[in-house]
Amino acid sequence: MKFTLSWLKEHLATDASLDDIVERMTMTGLEVESVENAGAKLAPFTVARIISAAKHPNADKLQVCQVETKLGTLEIVCGAPNARAGLVTAFAPIGTYIPGSGITLEPKPVRGVVSNGMLCSGAELELDTDADGILELDPELKVGTPLAEALHLNDPVVDIEVTPNRPDWLGVHGIARDLAAAGLGKVTTKPVLPMPGRFPSPVKVTIENNEACPMFSGRLIRGVKNGPSPAWLQTRLRAVGLRPRNILVDITNFISLDRARPLHVYDASKLKGAIHARLGREGESFKALDGNVYDVTPAMCVIADDEKVLGLGGIMGGEESGCSEATTDVFLESAYFDATRTHATGRATGIVSDAQYRFARGVDSGFVVTGLELATRMILDLCGGEASEVVVAGEEPAPPKAITFDPDRVRALAGIDVKPTRVRAILKDLGFETSAEGQSSKKLIVQPPTWRRDVEGSADLVEEVARIEGFDKMPVLAPPRAAGFRAPTASVGESRSRIGRRAAASLGYNEAITWSFCSRAHAQAFGGGSEEMLVSNPIASDLDCMRPSALPNLLVAAQRNADRGFDDARLFEAGPAYRDTTETGQLRTIAATWLARPPRHWRAAPQPDIFDVKRDLMIVLEALGAPVASLQTSTDVPAHWRPGRAGALRLGNKPVAIFGEIHPRALKAIGVEAPALAFEIFVDALPQPRAKGRAKPPLEKLDLQPLSRDFAFIVDDAVAAADVVRAAIGADKTLISDVSLFDVYRGERMQSGKKSLAIEVTLQPREKTLTDADIEAVSAKVVSAVMKATGGTLRG
């Protein structure tokens, strides 16, 4: 929700500075996203007037214009179709940065003619999306006037985030009301006076489903003159990012922002019979104002005449009944639509219009006819014409239920001592009606206003009083603890997740926290996406499925970093994954991704491979206390891992971790460039740590040097090197401290289907120097263990 400071002050009489207003908004619960001053961005741009426009000698679609600017008369090449003599527009001199196109102007020839500047469109100045022509400004403006001043854009724009329970904050008037209650000024909004009708409305309205549309009102206004809006209205809309269309459309947009009251205007000459608010029918469709055709279902509320669908109620009107500059008679609509149905229809169609955004949160049910009267007055003032009597179908929904409220609850729940008279004053300023429950009772009967249907009980009223009085006045107290209370210790899984995060971070991975949801397409690419894992009410259309792994979200985040120039993105996340094949449906995992992109340099390091990511995985597993020496390597991995370039670490038949390259097919499904390395640890699959016994006195450390022996074994080609290493290291756990593979040989001197694996075994004496007999005994154990485990033979 955006508004300008001057717009706010049309509803709020205050001498407070912008900083004070922003601070008070924050304290009352209004989350301020940003405060921008468009004047700073438009500082280089000024007003100019085209003296003449002649066809470019070397281009059919270009014109050479003589332009009067603050720098004098300049020759400028322009391709806008509306460039003509006498037009007042926006001028940018050489050296100016154009925000909409991202270029800086230079004195370069355009088809042989040097352009000494630029005449700008609204899109190029990021004022609106219109790029078909240059700006057409008030012809009375003086050449050289700063553009921000000419467009009245030197007015700070405040952008706030509106919570779903406060639809009244989607109108400037509602924000002013809360600030006035907080002591920042006085509300100066003028009351809306009804406009008497001059004749009965020839267009009737009916409601066929009062659950979808409880109330529908409207009136015909004939003899209007549509066209461009006055400068003040265009300026007001442009300041908050809306493109002016015409007077009729701009009035509805203005009232939607000013009073949080969406409206719609139909060209009356295009209507056939009465207007009906009803549910859709199978096979119906309509072309909306956004140019798209939408199919209608029986779950949607539509507005229709006797022949066709005119639009989706509370969401968007149809193109066929829209107004144009030729429109002379209009039917103005102000209705109340069910919030839940409007939200569901918006989700089904993908339409997120300003009207849908407001109706889905619940607009003021008491401002239906009043909003119609306000719009009528503006149309008559700006477009002329005469209005019919108001026609209404349905009834205004019942107001919220009254609440019995004890003012002492403010002190009990919020810890703030507020006098009862102050409590009543705050509630009154916020629009609540209060009355005493009885002569001898201190309790109040509080009636919430029609725009505050989120207030349902005493706790809600306490929150209203506390936020206006000031959350900073709440005492800071620690909650009382019961005698002998001790905070619960972290579980093994929680401790391991914390240790795993530290280990991954120490390896150079950056921690990310992503959604526990992803799109179903992404989930299916990584082995999930079943019906059981779909979210009934997702927070976004692309977050409709519980993620089967953190990898797709991490890979998408890494690709987003790569798209912005950070190629070597290494990300990890310690979080849950969800699968319907487990007992709980939830797994505790530590996942990491590495989009390894070598730097563009002739001495660039070699491309990382699966052994680099396996090294990182083993370091993290060792930090978690996993029995690394006992893990078995397997090539049996899920389909989203690349065959031959990925492996699984297992304890028996239980997978503990998977590492390697992600399959290019899975990467393509989520829009990530190959190759991508990753690993995933299933924390709960690790064995529980053994209980610590009483520490034994350390042995006396002797300065005994380690020694090594090499062995080469001939084994079948299918035997994994890890099996040889594991067998060797288990031959004598007392003396053997390390085993490493240093050579693999396949060649002419090796039988078909065989290979030679050479290992280095390191022996660490513990108590005495090893004799030749001791070394031979250990060597025999190594040979025996490897031959038994792999079926291999010692190579001569």
Side-chain angles (χ1 to χ4, degrees):
M1 172 62 188
K2 291 183 178 181
F3 58 92
T4 63
L5 180 61
S6 63
W7 196 343
L8 176 66
K9 289 188 175 182
E10 288 186 2
H11 293 281
L12 180 69
T14 179
D15 295 328
S17 66
L18 178 62
D19 291 340
D20 291 339
I21 291 174
V22 170
E23 181 181 1
R24 191 62 58 88
M25 289 173 68
T26 302
M27 295 305 296
T28 56
L30 283 152
E31 183 179 347
V32 179
E33 290 284 314
S34 64
V35 179
E36 297 180 356
N37 191 343
K41 183 174 65 175
L42 298 176
F45 301 90
T46 56
V47 172
R49 177 179 286 103
I50 300 177
I51 301 174
S52 64
K55 184 177 178 297
H56 193 291
N58 303 318
D60 293 336
K61 295 184 179 181
L62 298 179
Q63 297 186 78
V64 179
C65 302
Q66 302 300 319
V67 183
E68 181 185 358
T69 73
K70 70 173 185 178
L71 303 177
T73 301
L74 301 176
E75 189 171 73
I76 298 176
V77 178
C78 182
N82 63 332
R84 61 189 183 273
L87 178 65
V88 175
T89 187
F91 163 70
I94 295 297
T96 301
Y97 174 77
I98 309 299
S101 57
I103 64 172
T104 299
L105 299 183
E106 298 179 3
K108 291 183 178 180
V110 181
R111 294 289 185 93
V113 178
V114 175
S115 183
N116 297 292
M118 181 177 182
L119 304 180
C120 304
S121 69
E124 289 163 338
L125 299 176
E126 295 185 335
L127 298 179
D128 56 44
T129 58
D130 187 3
D132 294 334
I134 56 178
L135 284 177
E136 298 192 15
L137 304 177
D138 186 351
E140 301 298 324
L141 287 171
K142 183 180 178 181
V143 170
T145 303
L147 184 62
E149 179 183 333
L151 296 177
H152 303 283
L153 293 180
N154 48 358
D155 191 6
V157 178
V158 181
D159 185 7
I160 65 170
E161 181 71 24
V162 179
T163 55
N165 66 316
R166 293 304 304 272
D168 56 311
W169 282 345
L170 291 171
V172 180
H173 172 69
I175 298 170
R177 179 174 48 232
D178 274 27
L179 291 176
L184 210 62
K186 182 179 179 181
V187 174
T188 58
T189 307
K190 296 180 181 179
V192 179
L193 300 178
M195 295 293 295
R198 298 291 185 87
F199 57 93
S201 173
V203 180
K204 305 302 179 184
V205 296
T206 66
I207 293 177
E208 298 181 13
N209 188 294
N210 57 10
E211 291 184 359
C213 178
M215 185 178 183
F216 192 101
S217 68
R219 74 190 326 167
L220 183 78
I221 305 176
R222 65 190 181 193
V224 301
K225 183 178 173 131
N226 198 14
S229 296
W232 72 266
L233 183 52
Q234 293 191 40
T235 298
R236 186 60 51 82
L237 296 178
R238 278 198 180 99
V240 296
L242 290 183
R243 175 188 172 187
R245 303 286 180 175
N246 55 61
I247 300 179
L248 294 172
V249 173
D250 293 351
I251 286 174
T252 61
N253 287 335
F254 173 80
I255 294 178
S256 180
L257 291 167
D258 191 66
R259 300 297 187 93
R261 162 37 60 184
L263 303 160
H264 189 68
V265 182
Y266 302 91
D267 188 327
S269 66
K270 301 175 182 177
L271 301 177
K272 306 299 181 183
I275 294 181
H276 312 279
R278 60 171 173 82
L279 296 181
R281 297 165 186 164
E282 290 292 349
E284 289 184 321
S285 64
F286 78 106
K287 188 175 183 180
L289 289 171
D290 62 2
N292 296 320
V293 176
Y294 296 96
D295 294 326
V296 173
T297 71
M300 301 176 181
C301 178
V302 303
I303 307 301
D305 60 14
D306 292 343
E307 295 184 358
K308 59 188 176 300
V309 173
L310 302 175
L312 292 172
I315 296 181
M316 185 172 288
E319 186 177 275
E320 185 175 345
S321 60
C323 297
S324 66
E325 291 192 3
T327 300
T328 57
D329 297 344
V330 298
F331 186 82
L332 177 61
E333 166 206 306
S334 179
Y336 183 82
F337 298 100
D338 176 67
T340 302
R341 191 180 298 271
T342 304
H343 174 75
T345 302
R347 289 292 303 276
T349 59
I351 301 176
V352 186
S353 62
D354 287 342
Q356 187 271 345
Y357 190 80
R358 284 162 172 77
F359 277 116
R361 284 157 175 75
V363 300
D364 181 5
S365 60
F367 201 73
V368 178
V369 176
T370 310
L372 183 74
E373 299 283 9
L374 178 60
T376 301
R377 181 173 294 277
M378 287 192 68
I379 290 175
L380 295 182
D381 289 344
L382 299 179
C383 302
E386 58 180 356
S388 74
E389 297 172 350
V390 175
V391 289
V392 179
E395 296 180 354
E396 180 181 325
K401 293 182 179 180
I403 303 168
T404 302
F405 179 59
D406 185 351
D408 288 342
R409 294 286 291 167
V410 177
R411 181 172 59 253
L413 292 183
I416 305 174
D417 191 6
V418 185
K419 294 182 179 180
T421 53
R422 173 61 177 159
V423 170
R424 296 189 67 168
I426 290 174
L427 294 177
K428 180 182 178 181
D429 290 341
L430 292 173
F432 294 80
E433 297 180 1
T434 62
S435 60
E437 185 183 40
Q439 293 183 354
S440 59
S441 175
K442 63 180 180 179
K443 294 183 179 180
L444 302 174
I445 303 298
V446 180
Q447 175 61 58
T450 52
W451 62 82
R452 291 303 307 273
R453 294 184 178 273
D454 61 305
V455 178
E456 300 176 344
S458 295
D460 297 326
L461 293 174
V462 170
E463 181 181 0
E464 293 301 301
V465 174
R467 71 182 181 87
I468 297 300
E469 190 68 10
F471 286 127
D472 55 332
K473 295 183 180 179
M474 295 177 64
V476 180
L477 299 174
R481 289 185 175 182
F485 173 83
R486 182 180 179 183
T489 57
S491 67
V492 173
E494 292 169 344
S495 297
R496 281 177 165 168
S497 294
R498 183 174 63 250
I499 294 170
R501 291 204 306 270
R502 293 175 179 172
S506 69
L507 293 170
Y509 291 84
N510 294 304
E511 184 171 11
I513 300 176
T514 67
W515 293 105
S516 291
F517 323 105
C518 62
S519 69
R520 190 179 190 184
H522 288 192
Q524 290 172 337
F526 281 75
S530 64
E531 291 290 337
E532 292 79 3
M533 292 292 103
L534 294 181
V535 181
S536 299
N537 186 25
I539 61 176
S541 59
D542 58 345
L543 297 174
D544 60 345
C545 187
M546 304 303 294
R547 68 183 188 188
S549 166
L551 290 178
N553 289 350
L554 288 175
L555 288 165
V556 170
Q559 183 63 52
R560 193 175 297 118
N561 278 271
D563 293 342
R564 286 157 176 77
F566 185 64
D567 293 329
D568 192 27
R570 303 172 68 186
L571 303 177
F572 82 92
E573 180 175 2
Y578 303 87
R579 300 179 185 173
D580 55 1
T581 57
T582 63
E583 293 182 2
T584 62
Q586 179 172 323
L587 303 173
R588 184 182 281 111
T589 66
I590 300 174
T593 59
W594 186 354
L595 292 189
R597 304 289 187 268
R600 299 180 64 183
H601 193 274
W602 68 277
R603 294 186 62 187
Q607 180 82 6
D609 56 23
I610 64 171
F611 296 105
D612 294 295
V613 78
K614 181 183 180 182
R615 173 204 61 211
D616 295 343
L617 169 64
M618 299 302 286
I619 292 174
V620 176
L621 285 173
E622 189 171 0
L624 295 177
V628 175
S630 302
L631 295 178
Q632 300 173 348
T633 304
S634 167
T635 58
D636 184 14
V637 295
H640 58 272
W641 295 90
R642 189 168 185 175
R645 297 189 184 181
L649 299 180
R650 299 175 178 271
L651 276 176
N653 293 325
K654 183 185 294 186
V656 171
I658 304 177
F659 67 93
E661 279 191 28
I662 302 296
H663 200 293
R665 180 177 59 247
L667 295 176
K668 183 178 180 181
I670 64 175
V672 176
E673 297 177 6
L677 302 170
F679 68 77
E680 187 172 23
I681 301 172
F682 309 113
V683 177
D684 295 329
L686 298 175
Q688 294 291 319
R690 296 181 180 179
K692 296 181 180 180
R694 179 177 298 177
K696 297 181 180 179
L699 296 173
E700 181 180 357
K701 295 183 179 180
L702 301 176
D703 188 15
L704 301 176
Q705 295 296 318
L707 65 148
S708 62
R709 287 293 182 270
D710 296 342
F711 301 87
F713 295 93
I714 299 175
V715 297
D716 292 338
D717 202 37
V719 174
D723 295 338
V724 175
V725 172
R726 187 183 303 106
I729 202 169
D732 192 323
K733 296 182 179 180
T734 302
L735 292 178
I736 298 176
S737 61
D738 187 37
V739 177
S740 62
L741 177 75
F742 68 86
D743 183 59
V744 179
Y745 174 73
R746 296 181 181 90
E748 298 177 356
R749 291 181 294 174
M750 195 62 56
Q751 298 179 13
S752 177
K754 297 288 186 177
K755 63 182 177 182
S756 172
L757 299 178
I759 60 175
E760 179 186 33
V761 179
T762 301
L763 306 180
Q764 176 60 62
R766 303 294 181 181
E767 299 177 353
K768 63 176 183 176
T769 301
L770 297 180
T771 64
D772 290 343
D774 295 332
I775 297 172
E776 290 299 327
V778 175
S779 299
K781 291 180 181 180
V782 170
V783 173
S784 176
V786 173
M787 293 175 62
K788 181 179 179 181
T790 65
T793 59
L794 188 65
R795 182 180 177 185

